[in-house]
Amino acid sequence: MRVLRGRVFYRGRVEPLDVGVDEAGKIAAIRKVIAGEEVEDHGDRLILPGGVDLHVHFRDPGLTEKEDFPSGTRSAALGGVTTVADMPNTRPPVTTRDALREKEARVRGRAAVDYALYAAPRTGASVPELSEAAAFKVYMAESTGGLQVGEGALGEILEAAAPRKKLVVAHAEDARRFQKDEAATLAGHSRARPKESEVDAIRTLAKLRGDGPVHVAHVTCVEALDAVPEGVTTEATPHHLLLDHTRPLKAFGKVNPPLRSPEDRQALWDAFAAGRIDIVATDHAPHTREEKEEPFGEAPSGLPGVATSLPLLLRQVRAETLSLERFVDATAARPAEILGVPKGRIEVGRDADLIVIDAREVVRITPRRVRYKCGWTPFEGMEGVFPRTVYLRGERVVEDGEPIAEGLGRRLSGNEA
Ligand code: NCD
Ligand code: ZN
């Protein structure tokens, strides 16, 4: 058994503890002192569970000029994210069993962190052949990738997924509420795809939902949260929690659903900090600089964020605007539970996916630090706390903030813990 020592977040509290890791990379013991073993001592640094990000677009296969599995998972690791769930709007899209198997074969051995794969059923009839996917994604309106489904198909998909207990994640916008807006600004983009479109889509989802697990991706406002029915889980992205449409980002801040007003952002943050939103997920959706420099109307929607999610939120923990408990719950424990993977908590029997933090080490976010293939981040210049060391199933994958191991990531099937 290997032993990691530090100030460990265990059962809702921070205390000096030893964490024993077995050969299989599982947490085998948690005690004050585990005697007679070699110790990796992290002193007074914090040891937290690695992040679980249920919403990334690593663009592999087919769009790898934006990102690919090695680059996306490397960025995840250095930001303290040890599990990702990758979205199906690749080229080809993951809408058939063959596409899913091809993607699986293609990414195997090339991931720096553990990963789950989504599929996007287009009809209820395609649900059985996609059962090897960890979860399903449904687009209720057009966004990058053009995978939207109508209400009829959505109802069938939800009905077919429910008895399999397959998680269905919805991109909830209703195009009937979309408006033309020629302003070519982020505020204009928010008017073009307004808050009401989210509210209406969530109401549709509430109406069609059976008794299977359903999750609403990237809610941007409290009005949307208010429409979410009991039992349906929610996520917010770091960009909707920390950025608004007054930022001078031009199309680099263009995303679906859009960045909202400063007031909406603050209200969303307050709801998040108070525990009204289950998880944080990044919707890491990179596009190249060239694409984002196109005229506003033509530039694609989506922005990267997998490496900055935990660092930005840890900065808020340090500023005492977010509790450590809420942080761990939203970035690790709850997303692991929702996907059904044996991660997200420091508990005996769970995978030893751990991050080591020194909250005094506040740095400015730069494109260089996050290493995205696209070469930019909308959070440039903001402060973050990056992990010094990251363990994936007990193996160091990041040391001194630098990625040091690649290809150790394994596929997760979901619905297993
Ligand atoms: C996403 C992308 O680029 O893949 N874009 C976005 O604005 N969020 C697609 C999506 O999930 O909507
Ligand atoms: Zn989306």
Side-chain angles (χ1 to χ4, degrees), residues 141-317:
E142 163 285 324
S143 189
T144 313
L147 291 174
Q148 66 275 16
V149 294
E151 247 185 76
L154 176 64
E156 288 170 21
I157 293 164
L158 288 164
E159 200 180 312
R164 299 176 162 79
K165 303 262 178 287
K166 194 67 89 179
L167 177 68
V168 179
V169 175
H171 178 122
E173 289 184 287
D174 187 331
R176 286 170 293 198
R177 289 282 196 161
F178 288 180
Q179 285 165 22
K180 266 238 147 339
D181 193 290
E182 306 293 344
T185 60
L186 293 176
H189 190 54
S190 178
R191 286 190 296 270
R193 302 176 74 119
K195 294 192 279 180
E196 296 75 44
S197 70
E198 278 183 78
V199 172
D200 280 8
I202 292 168
R203 291 209 176 113
T204 302
L205 202 57
K207 188 179 70 190
L208 298 176
R209 163 175 92 101
D211 50 9
V214 174
H215 176 81
V216 183
H218 41 50
V219 292
T220 70
C221 57
V222 168
E223 293 86 334
L225 276 180
D226 289 340
V228 174
E230 190 69 36
V232 168
T233 54
T234 53
E235 93 195 11
T237 67
H239 49 275
H240 294 114
L241 289 168
L242 296 168
L243 303 176
D244 61 63
H245 65 41
T246 67
R247 292 260 171 175
L249 289 165
K250 304 202 189 94
F252 288 85
K254 186 179 176 189
V255 63
N256 298 332
L259 297 179
R260 304 297 185 196
S261 70
E263 297 72 29
D264 287 327
R265 185 206 69 76
Q266 186 62 51
L268 189 73
W269 176 271
D270 292 344
F272 169 64
R276 272 194 77 198
I277 300 171
D278 291 277
I279 70 167
V280 166
T282 60
D283 191 9
H284 175 86
H287 298 284
T288 65
R289 279 182 194 275
E290 293 68 40
E291 291 168 317
K292 285 297 209 178
E293 278 159 1
E294 284 170 27
F296 191 91
E298 277 111 79
S301 292
L303 39 85
V306 72
T308 49
S309 177
L310 273 59
L312 286 163
L313 293 174
L314 283 165
R315 182 70 187 88
Q316 301 287 327
V317 172

Side-chain angles (χ1 to χ4, degrees), residues 386-404:
F386 286 80
R388 291 198 63 88
T389 308
V390 177
Y391 295 92
L392 178 70
R393 286 177 276 97
E395 300 282 342
R396 282 185 193 234
V397 291
V398 171
E399 202 164 324
D400 293 327
E402 292 293 315
I404 56 159

